[in-house]
Amino acid sequence: MVCVHLKMAVGIVLAVLLYVISVVSSTHPKEQTVVGIIGQPVLLPCDRSTLATPNYPTRTRIYWQDLTLRVLHVFKDGNEEYVHQNLWYKNRTTINTDQLASGNLSLLLNPVNVRDNLLTCDVILIINDVNSQECQITVNVAASYQKPTLNFTDMTLVCTTHGGFPEHQVTWRTHNRTLERHEAVTKTTQDPGTGTYNISSRVNVTEGQNITCSIYNPILNETQSNFIVIPASKVENHLLKWILATFCPLVVLLIAVILCVKYPNLRKSWRKMIHCCPEPEPEPETTAQEAEIAELNPQQ
């Protein structure tokens, strides 16, 4: 008998727990996170099974509001109402009234700006004076950084990028390691108009070094980067030019001498081509008879 009562008690406790869990889960709002790009629209999604009631829409009110109770949008008794809308959201919110009855309580926020970052919107539904929190949507605002620009001057490399959000640190990498944060001097400013960030970072470099500058956007999971190979110094360039200008002619002359020594016939050909060293014409040979006549007639 005791066992029977114990089983009944356990069953009742389980039933109560299941009921509590079902009530809590049914009243707990759907929590979602969306990414809003600065200057573009973002949808704050909220779906419910249905709003159809015998008195819909006259006994139905829907409030979209943030955690400070600032009202983003209001639907009341079949119409959108703007009297209580916060000025910050004025002319930036839209709903599809035709889909409300089917449970689509989504709100379009357009355009997104920096001040919307981490906005948490609660969707409050009131039907026949019974309140329920249907959804909770948080907006993470982001914007892509531009591809970094690299400028090299006096063994200092400067990396600049702009237009991104949120703020993030520039990363420098060489071919074999990632530079420590203290090795770079980074300056960040915020554009007063858009609220996006402009970043400038500089490091000291060495000749012949291959170095990459990168900026990572954690919200968009996006990396923008650029790289450069640091050239040799001007002194070395001048020295190299002097060496080439001095030794190249000597090497050519040495090769020419070797060829002339090894291949004598080449000398005649080269002389004819360059006309700088013509061979002397051979003197005509004198016969013995002509020599005697010349001795007898020295004055002729």
Side-chain angles (χ1 to χ4, degrees):
M1 196 72 176
V2 175
C3 292
V4 174
H5 288 299
L6 182 60
K7 289 180 180 180
M8 291 178 60
V10 171
I12 293 172
V13 171
L14 289 175
V16 171
L17 287 175
L18 290 173
Y19 174 76
V20 171
I21 292 172
S22 64
V23 170
V24 171
S25 62
S26 64
T27 58
H28 190 73
K30 297 178 182 178
E31 297 181 1
Q32 301 182 69
T33 301
V34 297
V35 174
I37 306 300
I38 294 175
Q40 299 182 17
V42 62
L43 185 68
L44 281 55
C46 182
D47 293 320
R48 190 181 186 275
S49 59
T50 181
L51 291 188
T53 63
N55 297 320
Y56 178 83
T58 56
R59 299 283 292 174
T60 302
R61 286 175 289 166
I62 309 171
Y63 292 89
W64 291 263
Q65 61 188 34
D66 62 21
L67 296 182
T68 62
L69 302 183
R70 293 184 302 181
V71 175
L72 282 73
H73 205 86
V74 177
F75 179 82
K76 182 177 180 181
D77 296 332
N79 296 294
E80 296 175 87
E81 187 245 69
Y82 298 97
V83 175
H84 298 93
Q85 185 183 45
N86 187 274
L87 291 177
W88 176 244
Y89 301 106
K90 191 174 182 63
N91 298 324
R92 291 204 299 140
T93 57
T94 307
I95 60 172
N96 191 331
T97 56
D98 294 336
Q99 295 185 10
L100 292 179
S102 61
N104 185 358
L105 310 184
S106 302
L107 177 73
L108 186 69
L109 181 64
N110 184 30
V112 173
N113 56 51
V114 169
R115 287 182 58 182
D116 296 323
N117 189 39
L118 300 181
L119 161 69
T120 298
C121 175
D122 289 329
V123 182
I124 310 299
L125 176 63
I126 305 174
I127 299 178
N128 296 325
D129 297 326
V130 177
N131 296 11
S132 63
Q133 185 177 357
E134 299 298 317
C135 301
Q136 187 175 80
I137 311 102
T138 299
V139 180
N140 288 328
V141 172
S144 296
Y145 282 94
Q146 298 297 309
K147 183 176 181 178
T149 300
L150 298 175
N151 292 294
F152 173 66
T153 308
D154 298 330
M155 303 314 295
T156 299
L157 187 61
V158 179
C159 175
T160 57
T161 183
H162 64 279
F165 193 89
E167 179 183 3
H168 210 263
Q169 187 73 21
V170 169
T171 301
W172 291 93
R173 294 185 182 88
T174 64
H175 66 283
N176 58 358
R177 73 182 185 96
T178 300
L179 302 187
E180 300 293 336
R181 183 170 295 185
H182 69 270
E183 296 182 78
V185 178
T186 303
K187 181 181 179 181
T188 302
T189 58
Q190 196 166 15
D191 187 282
T194 63
T196 56
Y197 287 100
N198 306 317
I199 301 177
S200 176
S201 182
R202 62 182 175 87
V203 293
N204 295 325
V205 295
T206 57
E207 297 164 2
Q209 190 177 40
N210 188 333
I211 190 164
T212 300
C213 171
S214 302
I215 178 72
Y216 175 68
N217 191 316
I219 303 300
L220 300 176
N221 192 26
E222 179 182 81
T223 300
Q224 298 286 357
S225 61
N226 202 353
F227 76 97
I228 189 174
V229 177
I230 306 303
S233 66
K234 294 182 179 179
V235 175
E236 289 188 355
N237 287 334
H238 287 311
L239 180 61
L240 180 60
K241 291 179 181 178
W242 181 84
I243 292 174
L244 293 175
T246 303
F247 286 97
C248 281
L250 294 178
V251 172
V252 172
L253 181 60
L254 179 61
I255 293 173
V257 171
I258 293 173
L259 291 175
C260 286
V261 172
K262 191 170 183 180
Y263 305 100
N265 293 332
L266 289 176
R267 286 179 291 178
K268 295 181 180 181
S269 301
W270 287 355
R271 284 169 183 164
K272 291 180 179 178
M273 286 189 295
I274 63 177
H275 301 286
C276 63
C277 300
E279 292 187 357
E281 295 183 0
E283 295 183 0
E285 297 182 1
T286 304
T287 62
Q289 184 178 2
E290 291 175 343
E292 290 180 2
I293 293 173
E295 289 179 1
L296 293 175
N297 301 290
Q299 295 180 352
Q300 291 182 357

